[in-house]
Amino acid sequence: MMTDSMTAVRPEQQLARNGLYRKIADAEFVATAESAIAASFSADDSSAQSRCALTDMTPVVRGGFRGKASADHLQALGLPIPEKPNQALTTDKGETVLRLSNTEYWLLGSVTDFGQTVADVRSQAMPAADCYPLFCNDSHAWLTLSGEHCAAVMAKLCGVDMRAEVFPSGSIAQTSVARINAIVVSHSVGGKAVFSLLFDTGYHAYMWDVLLDASSEFGGVAAGVTALMVD
Amino acid sequence: MKIMNCPLNGPRNISEFVYGGEVKQMPDPASCTDKEWAEYVFYHNNGTGVVREWWLHAPSGYWFIAERHRVSGEVSRTYDPSELDQSEFFAAIPAVPEEANS
């Protein structure tokens, strides 16, 4: 299912190649600003996706800032600032602000505009000192796990308890997932509760296979971004 | 698995941490002797008791200080380096009563 604002494309035609396009050849791709993202799959099964669904969000724009002045910079641009490290806040439009340390913030773009708002924030003039951009858009891949069994899937792969009662929406864990350093965020994307996993891009295909394999025990499947868009 | 408490992230498996060496004062490289520099870079104190050590939580890239007993390996305290001021940094750690170590 595609919405009217989406343009179907072949991933090979886009400037930035989708890192998984050979693995997910049965997906229907739509254009983002520079790349292509899987919108849906030919064998989409909504009941399997409600059990556990794995979605590639890597083509959605991300950005980060580090330094003592970065909180003031983001606040001046109208973004909410989480109170403590390892907390996340989501804006009305769907962007998520992650606070990863006392002075480091990441922005995850919204699935509705594929991160255009974050791209605009990144193009704003920066403070003269104590605020430095981080290129997590290029350094990190982004997958989301959604569905009722996603905490059980994470329990197979990482040592941190991610059940909803101890890891509620707005929590962040920087830990090891399937032996890879990763940032796990509990938040909502397009109105659906998800775990976002951010990790080195070199492990993009590896982590996709690991998460699909781990979720298969619970009947989990791959899903496109339209599965995350709750009306 | 051993669990260590990261001051930023909370309790984590020890496999997520990297040892960064004992906390020690760097001599001024411009004025110190070669021997002093070699001692700083290569020689390590091989004593017993509780020492301050640098540790890295690799998934978050966060450096902190742990106070660890070199015989039992037990970590008694972990904290952010900003919690110590310069005068405390290289000072001896207050002795722990014998029964607490055994």
Side-chain angles (χ1 to χ4, degrees), chain A residues 85-86 160 173-176 181, chain B residues 8-9 12-13 16 57-60:
Chain A
N86 286 326
V160 178
Q174 302 179 68
T175 184
S176 174
N181 292 337
Chain B
L8 180 69
N9 298 282
R12 289 287 192 273
N13 288 342
E16 294 186 16
H57 182 246
S60 56

Side-chain angles (χ1 to χ4, degrees), chain A residues 3 31 123 146 166 173 178 206 211:
Chain A
T3 59
S123 63
S146 55
V166 280
Y206 162 77
L211 288 169

Side-chain angles (χ1 to χ4, degrees), chain A residues 15 133 191 200:
Chain A
L15 188 63
D200 193 295

Side-chain angles (χ1 to χ4, degrees), chain A residues 1-224:
Chain A
M1 181 200 71
M2 281 172 49
T3 59
D4 295 341
S5 59
M6 295 178 171
T7 320
V9 286
R10 291 207 351 255
E12 302 92 309
Q13 293 170 327
Q14 295 299 95
L15 188 63
R17 198 69 60 88
N18 181 306
L20 293 176
Y21 83 103
R22 285 196 185 90
K23 265 187 193 303
I24 52 176
D26 57 332
E28 193 172 353
F29 286 91
V30 293
T32 64
E34 290 188 337
S35 185
I37 193 165
S40 56
F41 285 79
S42 54
D44 265 353
D45 170 359
S46 59
S47 75
Q49 287 171 356
S50 70
R51 288 194 291 274
C52 188
L54 177 65
T55 306
D56 178 34
M57 294 280 283
T58 306
V60 177
V61 179
R62 298 171 288 295
F65 296 92
R66 185 189 282 164
K68 283 184 214 151
S70 44
D72 291 341
H73 175 56
L74 295 177
Q75 216 152 19
L77 295 169
L79 289 159
I81 302 296
E83 199 186 325
K84 287 192 213 150
N86 286 326
Q87 289 182 346
L89 286 174
T90 302
T91 65
D92 300 338
K93 287 160 73 188
E95 290 82 28
T96 302
V97 182
L98 317 181
R99 183 169 185 176
L100 297 180
S101 75
N102 278 324
T103 56
E104 181 171 341
Y105 299 87
W106 283 21
L107 308 172
L108 303 183
S110 162
V111 70
T112 46
D113 65 0
F114 296 138
Q116 188 53 49
T117 313
V118 172
D120 295 342
V121 167
R122 280 175 31 180
S123 63
Q124 299 286 325
M126 302 264 294
D130 290 339
C131 182
Y132 313 96
L134 301 170
F135 299 97
C136 52
N137 200 49
D138 304 309
S139 64
H140 283 67
W142 178 11
L143 299 179
T144 65
L145 263 188
S146 55
E148 57 181 307
H149 294 296
C150 56
V153 173
M154 291 307 292
K156 293 169 75 176
L157 303 170
C158 110
V160 178
D161 189 349
M162 293 192 174
R163 287 172 297 174
E165 56 271 29
V166 280
F167 195 70
S169 182
S171 309
I172 298 177
Q174 302 179 68
T175 184
S176 174
V177 177
R179 303 193 179 198
I180 305 305
N181 292 337
I183 300 163
V184 186
V185 190
S186 171
H187 66 135
S188 62
V189 167
K192 207 162 204 183
V194 301
F195 288 141
S196 279
L197 287 98
L198 297 143
F199 50 89
D200 193 295
T201 43
Y203 295 108
H204 195 178
Y206 162 77
M207 197 65 112
W208 176 266
D209 285 345
V210 163
L211 288 169
L212 261 191
D213 179 54
S215 62
S216 64
E217 177 185 338
F218 303 94
V221 289

Side-chain angles (χ1 to χ4, degrees), chain B residues 2-4 49-51 53 55 66-78 96 99-102:
Chain B
K2 266 186 169 179
I3 307 276
M4 195 191 230
V50 179
V51 282
E53 293 170 340
W55 283 81
E67 289 180 2
R68 191 176 67 89
H69 194 285
R70 275 198 287 209
V71 176
S72 66
E74 188 193 345
V75 176
S76 45
R77 225 177 123 214
T78 56
V96 183
E99 58 271 27
N101 283 338
S102 56

Side-chain angles (χ1 to χ4, degrees), chain B residues 11-88:
Chain B
R12 289 287 192 273
N13 288 342
I14 199 75
S15 58
E16 294 186 16
F17 296 95
V18 180
Y19 174 68
E22 199 176 323
V23 175
K24 50 184 179 178
Q25 198 149 21
M26 184 175 80
D28 179 2
S31 61
C32 73
T33 63
D34 287 353
K35 185 164 192 292
E36 281 169 334
W37 187 251
E39 281 192 2
Y40 170 68
V41 176
F42 300 113
Y43 298 159
H44 301 279
N45 183 358
N46 192 22
T48 58
V50 179
V51 282
R52 281 195 192 97
E53 293 170 340
W54 285 107
W55 283 81
L56 167 74
H57 182 246
S60 56
Y62 172 73
W63 283 99
F64 61 94
I65 297 175
E67 289 180 2
R68 191 176 67 89
H69 194 285
R70 275 198 287 209
V71 176
S72 66
E74 188 193 345
V75 176
S76 45
R77 225 177 123 214
T78 56
Y79 45 91
D80 189 274
S82 66
E83 283 181 33
L84 285 183
D85 68 45
Q86 280 299 313
S87 63
E88 288 174 300

